[in-house]
Amino acid sequence: MITTDVKYKVSDLKSDVKPIWCPGCGDFGVLSAVFRAIIDLQLDPSHLAIISGIGCSGRFPAFVNAYGFHGIHGRALPLATGTKLANPELTVLVAGGDGDAFSIGAGHLPHAARRNIDLTYVVMDNSIYGLTKGQPSATSPSDVLVQSTVKHKGRRKGTVGLLNLAQTLEPVNPIAMAIGYNIGFVARAFSARPKELNEILKAAVLHRGFSLVQVISPCTTFFDTYDLWREIAEPLPEDHDPSDRLLAFERALETDRGYMGIFYRQERPSFEDQVAKLVSQPSDAFAPTAIAPLLDAFRR
Ligand code: SF4
């Protein structure tokens, strides 16, 4: 993480591209909190890269005066991994939505967790596909009623399976999934609570290794969940111990309570640290003397 002595203002961090999100979209709150975090941590924008996939959240990099890459659907993590490995001095934020992170790109999560690359994944979870006009996503509740859900006998049926009208689809639990994958920093925040969101984002950036922040970021146009989350959002209990993985998992499973805060945190060497160590202390296995017999075998 590179910091700067120059004091930046929010106006310096805003790009010339104005956000085109719908009025009231939760993503505005996330953008403001990211600006605030950059300023509070005195991050140098010339050493900051924001990588995104597809979806309303995918527009994020365009609005920030920093390096950015708007990639393809679900592939933000591999792009961010390459960015970080090419230049480990960069602070790399990954901006995505529930579609990107928990559906089409979900297969990248366990591997980013295993590698523990120093990336901060900010997942703006609105439980809907907003950009494509409101289809249920992996985190939609099974009784979600939106214009694209199946109608049967005149009534909408939630995330009903197309082949079996009696079956609805259970939402994934992103926090439990992340803890299960052993992501080293797992937190949840709410876009309508900027102070807490800002604190969590800063802690996630400062965490050396892969971090995932699920930000509840309601979609005012297709699935407005502000009232629901205002009602159920509450901080994790004061006695919560984020180093206790089992406890974190138990709290993640309490889905009727909208716990906010850092569920799980575990410090371990990041991938870049391990690569740097390997390069600075070459082992015998990589020494020319060890490779020479192998090369000779192929020459014969
Ligand atoms: Fe936000 Fe929904 Fe509009 Fe997309 S469609 S910009 S998620 S309010």
Side-chain angles (χ1 to χ4, degrees):
M1 191 182 80
I2 302 256
T3 56
T4 172
D5 292 335
V6 181
K7 296 272 183 215
Y8 287 97
K9 301 187 292 299
V10 170
S11 53
D12 301 319
L13 300 173
K14 284 183 178 172
S15 75
D16 294 337
V17 183
K18 299 269 173 277
I20 52 167
W21 293 314
C22 310
C25 175
D27 294 358
F28 282 105
V30 184
L31 183 62
S32 300
V34 166
F35 284 146
R36 197 66 256 161
I38 294 171
I39 290 168
D40 289 353
L41 294 173
Q42 290 188 271
L43 295 183
D44 182 348
S46 70
H47 285 80
L48 172 67
I50 303 182
I51 314 294
S52 70
I54 296 294
C56 295
S57 58
R59 298 171 173 143
F60 213 92
F63 308 140
V64 186
N65 247 341
Y67 290 102
F69 195 115
H70 188 173
I72 56 172
H73 205 187
R75 303 298 170 247
L77 273 182
L79 289 166
T81 300
T83 306
K84 183 71 182 177
L85 289 184
N87 185 352
E89 292 200 338
L90 291 177
T91 299
V92 181
L93 299 184
V94 190
D98 36 313
D100 240 11
F102 307 135
S103 280
I104 191 165
H108 295 295
L109 275 177
H111 305 290
R114 288 170 60 221
R115 294 185 186 108
N116 198 30
I117 294 181
D118 189 15
L119 307 171
T120 304
Y121 199 177
V122 182
V123 184
M124 285 155 263
D125 184 357
N126 54 18
S127 298
I128 205 77
Y129 284 101
L131 191 69
T132 48
K133 308 277 179 278
Q135 298 81 13
S137 78
T139 56
S140 297
S142 46
D143 59 354
V144 65
L145 300 179
V146 289
Q147 60 192 9
S148 63
T149 45
V150 173
K151 247 185 184 172
H152 182 56
K153 296 186 179 165
R155 294 186 56 202
R156 296 214 180 272
K157 304 295 283 185
T159 58
V160 70
L162 290 177
L163 297 177
N164 177 1
L165 287 173
Q167 183 190 32
T168 53
L169 307 182
E170 286 298 312
V172 301
N173 181 329
I175 297 289
M177 188 162 77
I179 296 167
Y181 288 154
N182 207 19
I183 291 175
F185 181 105
V186 182
R188 184 192 286 138
F190 184 19
S191 65
R193 302 211 172 149
K195 204 162 156 271
E196 290 89 342
L197 172 57
N198 171 257
E199 291 303 323
I200 285 177
L201 288 178
K202 286 191 287 187
V205 171
L206 291 175
H207 176 81
R208 194 156 170 84
F210 185 46
S211 55
L212 183 139
V213 183
Q214 178 200 17
V215 187
I216 304 300
S217 179
C219 169
T220 41
T221 299
F222 294 108
F223 189 40
D224 190 340
T225 55
Y226 274 116
D227 287 347
L228 168 79
W229 280 99
R230 280 198 181 104
E231 199 180 314
I232 65 168
E234 61 175 303
L236 280 161
E238 272 182 25
D239 67 351
H240 183 68
D241 174 6
S243 68
D244 185 338
R245 191 173 174 204
L246 215 55
L247 178 66
F249 197 71
E250 277 171 20
R251 296 227 150 112
L253 295 184
E254 290 182 49
T255 49
D256 51 339
R257 313 188 77 135
Y259 282 137
M260 300 286 154
I262 300 169
F263 282 74
Y264 178 56
R265 176 155 46 188
Q266 184 211 50
E267 303 285 344
R268 59 183 198 267
S270 72
F271 189 75
E272 312 86 271
D273 288 345
Q274 295 186 75
V275 169
K277 200 167 154 197
L278 191 71
V279 170
S280 67
Q281 299 171 340
S283 73
D284 288 347
F286 297 107
T289 47
I291 293 171
L294 287 173
L295 292 175
D296 284 346
F298 281 101
R299 282 197 195 102
R300 275 185 217 128

